[in-house]
Amino acid sequence: MFRATLAALALGCSFTAVAAAAKEAEDPWLWLEDIEGKAALDWVKKENAATDRLITGRPGFEADRQRARTILDDDRQIAIPDAVMGDTITNFWRDAANPRGVWRQSPLDAYLSGKPEWTVLIDVDALGKAEKQSWVWHGADCLAPDYRRCLVSLSPGGTDADIVREWDRTTKSFVEGGFTVPLAKSSVTWEDADHLLVATDYGAGSMTSSGYPRIVKRWTRGTPLAAAVTLVEGEAADVGMGVGAFMDGDTRWPVISRNMSFYTTRHYLPNADRSAYKSTIIPESADLRDVIDGQAIVFLNEDFGEGFPAGSLISLSLADMAADRQVPIVPVMTPTKAQAIESVAATDHILWVKALDDVEGKLFALRRDQPNGRWSQKEVPLAANATVQIAGAIGKSDRLLATAETMLQPPTLYAVTETGAPQTLQSLPALFDASQMHVEKRFATSKDGTKVPYFLVRKKSDSETPVPALVHAYGGFRAAQTPGYLTGQPYRAGPLGLFWVENGNAYVLANIRGGGEYGPAWHQAALYEKRQNSFDDLHAVAEDLVRTGVSAKGKIAISGRSNGGVLVGAAMEQRPDLYGAVISGSPLKDMKRYTKLLAGASWMDEYGDPDKPGDWAFISQYSPYQNIRKGVKYPPIFLYLSTKDDRVHPGHARKFAARLKDYGNRVYYHEYLEGGHSVGADHAEDAVRAAMLHAFLLRELVDTK
């Protein structure tokens, strides 16, 4: 053994080199994980160019791109509230003249009258030009009650990592000598005017294995960040630490969250003199959603004792938790089996709840006005059979700002009160003729008998001839997929869904298990070894389209982003006979190595740990990269992503494309240099993507008739 080692060293080898060579032999495309490496980027440029040659010169491509850009930049779009700050409302706006956007404000009264009076606060394009940075807006957090000082977050190129800088809303300038948190994946909030809670990269050992902050410190104005005082520490194996704050009237409640895993969090509240933060009785599997009337509003992802089922809301006294006293547990709202509580917002006296009811939106107003601090509940009608989203809350007047839309009806923004008809503030004009289209909600039966809802939109026709179909799905991380106006379907694909239906084809949004469409149980039905359920649900929807004559085998395209990349990768490999084309954006593909790539380790609560033999036993059954087989003809795939994605590693898509092509399959590939995980730093890139994906579908599913 000793001689063999010496021989290896004499030949210029090492155990590290031998191990690397073995790994390369096992995965010959491992070098594509070198994100900014010259060889990898040369490969990317070559693949991008090949796709451009196939796609961008097609008849209709430029018209699609121009139309998509016009739709995305339409200055009639709804000015969705960014924040309600006393008698002022803010909005982040992007259009043709402002591709990176402007952050602006209007008097609240003018906004509610339908005639906002906008004043620009920050012009991101101008700021980027002045500072020679490709800034992408990540938001602003302004300190109540005067909202003068704000923490502005800006990302270079759209990465998750950003820089946080203190900004003065009255002088419209960054504060000289003010708070500045350097570039990192940070979580920052105001504790008060002179103190921040900061979770960031403090140097060696301060980040988790998932690449997020492990330590929360209090930073005092006028001192260096290095002098900040530690408040709470997590462990390296945690996902990361987060900070935030809720306003309950004039009382500010800062909160520290230690995320031990993706679905377990320990919440900390300050004690009376704020000298320390104490852990609370909020269940580690639960979510803290808002605060109102001295109560923390908590969403339960698991049963909590008797009478508090998963999927329901409870309230807990903030003061009792902060003082470490016994805390009464009060039920707030328990949904029906068909419902799922999706979001909440508190005004001064009303807790507003947006729920799904068989994937259609409903609003409820709840008050803490019953004996023993219990809650009353009232449904507030807004729009039938529509997708509803909470857009903002106006505390003192107890009004809610909410939008409603369907696949064929453009969004409308309403001001909603507990009683009386909703007030229409703004409606997006129709951007296409929907008179010859119709939408249906259907249910497919999955392999185990589960009924899976999906929304189908197509042109009205007496013809029974099957047409090509595009099915979009996600199926993970509790994220419900709700049907929106076709100009934004599928997610991050611009008006692709609209273009596709106007061609006479069918567009489908599938509500498969793994999402949150029916609450925690719907999500848990696709965790770990149950992941196959989400794939079976997608197959069931596609087969239902064939069974009912909507489409035909080989004429169905499937689309998925991020986690949806696992979904469509597994689906195309399991049923290459069923699908004719695949769209996969910012995708996960290599589930053997995902925990070692960027933020991947944070998702083990969803998929399992591939380094554990028991977990790899079921992950290996579907991991898309490992399940590509020689000699199998897979449907053509379009992979799009960003080099700057610091959440899902670009190596997933790169290696998947390389192996598919090496085995003789047709691959379209487009990697943007900017844009981060969402892909596309502005509407110009988004419009190109919509046109490219449309051309891909036409080329693979329509031109081949």
Side-chain angles (χ1 to χ4, degrees):
M1 176 69 73
F2 180 69
R3 290 179 179 175
T5 302
L6 286 177
L9 290 173
L11 291 170
C13 298
S14 68
F15 286 124
T16 301
V18 171
K23 201 173 264 188
E24 189 73 18
E26 179 185 333
D27 183 358
W29 305 108
L30 196 66
W31 57 275
L32 288 172
E33 291 181 8
D34 185 3
I35 297 176
E36 302 282 356
K38 183 181 184 304
L41 287 180
D42 285 346
W43 179 92
V44 167
K45 292 171 185 176
K46 180 181 177 183
E47 294 302 318
N48 282 354
T51 297
D52 286 348
R53 285 193 297 272
L54 287 175
I55 293 293
T56 58
R58 278 180 57 88
F61 173 84
E62 183 57 22
D64 279 350
R65 187 199 65 77
Q66 290 182 14
R67 187 181 177 203
R69 182 71 185 272
T70 298
I71 289 172
L72 293 168
D73 282 339
D74 195 331
D75 60 11
R76 299 171 298 172
Q77 63 188 287
I78 292 176
I80 297 295
D82 182 43
V84 177
M85 302 189 302
D87 59 1
T88 299
I89 195 164
T90 59
N91 159 260
F92 186 71
W93 180 266
R94 291 198 299 173
D95 58 19
N98 306 280
R100 293 296 172 94
V102 293
W103 184 46
R104 58 188 188 170
Q105 67 181 18
S106 168
L108 180 59
D109 288 345
Y111 182 87
L112 292 175
S113 73
K115 298 179 180 179
E117 300 166 4
W118 296 113
T119 301
V120 173
L121 298 173
I122 295 178
D123 182 329
V124 180
D125 294 276
L127 180 66
K129 185 176 181 181
E131 298 184 343
K132 296 181 171 55
Q133 289 280 355
S134 181
W135 289 130
V136 174
W137 182 255
H138 270 195
D141 173 16
C142 300
L143 179 63
D146 61 4
Y147 302 99
R148 176 186 172 190
R149 291 295 177 90
C150 307
L151 298 172
V152 169
S153 300
L154 294 162
S155 163
T159 61
D160 283 356
D162 54 25
I163 292 173
V164 183
R165 299 154 71 183
E166 186 177 5
W167 192 82
D168 191 307
R169 195 165 62 92
T170 58
T171 63
K172 297 183 178 62
S173 62
F174 289 104
V175 177
E176 187 175 351
F179 291 115
T180 298
V181 181
L183 180 67
K185 289 184 178 181
S186 303
S187 181
V188 185
T189 195
W190 297 99
E191 189 177 39
D192 57 39
D194 292 317
H195 299 90
L196 300 184
L197 299 181
V198 182
T200 191
D201 187 347
Y202 290 106
S206 69
M207 304 293 277
T208 68
S209 58
S210 297
Y212 294 101
R214 186 182 64 80
I215 304 169
V216 174
K217 298 186 180 186
R218 176 187 287 124
W219 186 14
T220 301
R221 184 179 296 281
T223 65
L225 180 58
V229 177
T230 297
L231 294 173
V232 180
E233 287 193 55
E235 298 179 359
D238 290 352
V239 168
M241 303 292 290
V243 297
F246 297 95
M247 293 300 298
D248 185 11
D250 294 330
T251 302
R252 185 175 186 83
W253 285 96
V255 180
I256 295 175
S257 303
R258 178 189 167 196
N259 304 298
M260 288 86 73
S261 70
F262 206 87
Y263 299 122
T264 55
T265 300
R266 188 170 298 156
H267 296 90
Y268 298 79
L269 291 173
N271 59 11
D273 63 3
R274 298 202 169 180
S275 59
Y277 280 71
K278 302 176 66 67
S279 62
T280 68
I281 69 158
I282 296 172
E284 292 181 353
S285 62
D287 302 326
L288 175 57
R289 293 292 182 89
D290 213 325
V291 301
I292 180 175
D293 195 23
Q295 301 291 303
I297 303 302
V298 175
F299 178 82
L300 299 177
N301 289 295
E302 296 178 355
D303 293 347
F304 185 45
E306 292 186 18
F308 307 106
S312 64
L313 293 174
I314 61 172
S315 65
L316 304 171
S317 166
L318 289 158
D320 287 342
M321 285 194 290
D324 206 17
R325 295 190 293 259
Q326 185 172 353
V327 184
I329 303 169
V330 181
V332 176
M333 179 177 176
T334 301
T336 68
K337 287 188 69 173
Q339 293 176 342
I341 293 171
E342 196 169 34
S343 57
V344 306
T347 54
D348 282 6
H349 306 99
I350 297 175
L351 179 68
W352 294 90
V353 176
K354 178 271 179 103
L356 297 177
D357 196 323
D358 271 336
V359 205
E360 295 174 3
K362 285 190 175 181
L363 275 181
F364 298 88
L366 289 83
R367 286 181 178 267
R368 189 167 172 256
D369 57 4
Q370 300 299 298
N372 300 317
R374 294 187 174 263
W375 298 75
S376 63
Q377 173 182 316
K378 176 183 179 182
E379 184 177 346
V380 179
L382 184 61
N385 306 318
T387 290
V388 174
Q389 301 288 354
I390 293 176
I394 306 172
K396 295 190 184 306
S397 63
D398 284 322
R399 280 182 287 187
L400 186 77
L401 300 174
T403 60
E405 63 186 301
T406 71
M407 285 179 158
L408 302 183
Q409 295 174 320
T412 295
L413 176 66
Y414 298 95
V416 183
T417 57
E418 188 179 14
T419 59
Q423 174 194 354
T424 299
L425 299 181
Q426 186 183 353
S427 291
L428 180 70
L431 298 180
F432 59 91
D433 181 7
S435 63
Q436 298 305 308
M437 302 177 185
H438 70 123
V439 178
E440 303 171 65
K441 182 172 70 176
R442 294 182 168 191
F443 290 84
T445 303
S446 196
K447 185 177 181 179
D448 63 359
T450 300
K451 299 296 183 182
V452 180
Y454 68 92
F455 292 83
L456 166 66
V457 59
R458 53 183 171 163
K459 283 187 173 181
K460 298 174 182 176
S461 174
D462 294 330
S463 172
E464 296 183 1
T465 302
V467 299
L470 170 62
V471 182
H472 182 75
Y474 184 73
F477 293 94
R478 301 174 180 161
Q481 304 299 292
T482 50
Y485 198 46
L486 273 185
T487 54
Q489 294 282 322
Y491 177 66
R492 297 301 301 155
L496 173 62
L498 169 62
F499 293 171
W500 191 239
V501 175
E502 286 181 335
N503 292 146
N505 305 310
Y507 175 69
V508 171
L509 182 67
N511 303 110
I512 65 176
R513 281 174 287 182
E517 286 86 345
Y518 292 98
W522 197 249
H523 169 243
Q524 291 159 7
L527 288 179
Y528 304 121
E529 74 281 0
K530 300 174 185 175
R531 204 79 198 167
Q532 184 61 42
N533 284 336
S534 66
F535 311 148
D536 289 341
D537 290 357
L538 182 62
H539 299 329
V541 170
E543 288 169 334
D544 201 58
L545 296 175
V546 174
R547 182 184 63 80
T548 56
V550 172
S551 192
K553 283 188 176 182
K555 289 296 181 182
I556 299 172
I558 49 176
S559 163
R561 276 183 42 85
S562 194
N563 164 76
V566 179
L567 170 72
V568 297
M572 65 181 274
E573 291 167 352
Q574 292 178 6
R575 294 296 307 275
D577 63 309
L578 185 56
Y579 305 113
V582 180
I583 295 172
S584 191
S586 304
L588 277 83
K589 298 295 185 185
D590 184 350
M591 302 304 289
K592 179 67 174 174
R593 286 182 48 75
Y594 85 93
T595 58
K596 299 172 177 62
L597 301 174
L598 297 177
S602 65
W603 309 321
M604 285 192 283
D605 259 16
E606 183 80 12
Y607 305 113
D609 183 352
D611 289 336
K612 293 180 179 178
D615 288 4
W616 180 242
F618 55 79
I619 296 172
S620 65
Q621 298 301 305
Y622 68 79
S623 180
Y625 185 56
Q626 280 74 25
N627 279 285
I628 302 171
R629 305 294 180 219
K630 286 184 178 180
V632 178
K633 182 181 179 182
Y634 296 109
I637 186 171
F638 194 118
L639 292 146
Y640 70 87
L641 61 148
S642 166
T643 308
K644 294 294 186 184
D645 189 342
D646 53 354
R647 192 180 314 172
V648 175
H649 197 291
H652 285 280
R654 292 175 180 178
K655 296 196 304 178
F656 194 70
R659 179 166 283 178
L660 277 173
K661 290 191 72 173
D662 188 45
Y663 290 176
N665 294 281
R666 198 151 61 248
V667 175
Y668 300 69
Y669 188 91
H670 199 269
E671 182 173 324
Y672 294 78
L673 296 180
E674 290 192 324
H677 186 59
S678 62
V679 185
D682 54 40
H683 287 164
E685 294 181 4
D686 295 342
V688 169
R689 182 167 58 258
M692 293 185 86
L693 295 177
H694 186 212
F696 163 70
L697 292 177
L698 291 173
R699 193 171 191 269
E700 295 297 341
L701 296 185
V702 177
D703 294 355
T704 56
K705 283 183 179 178

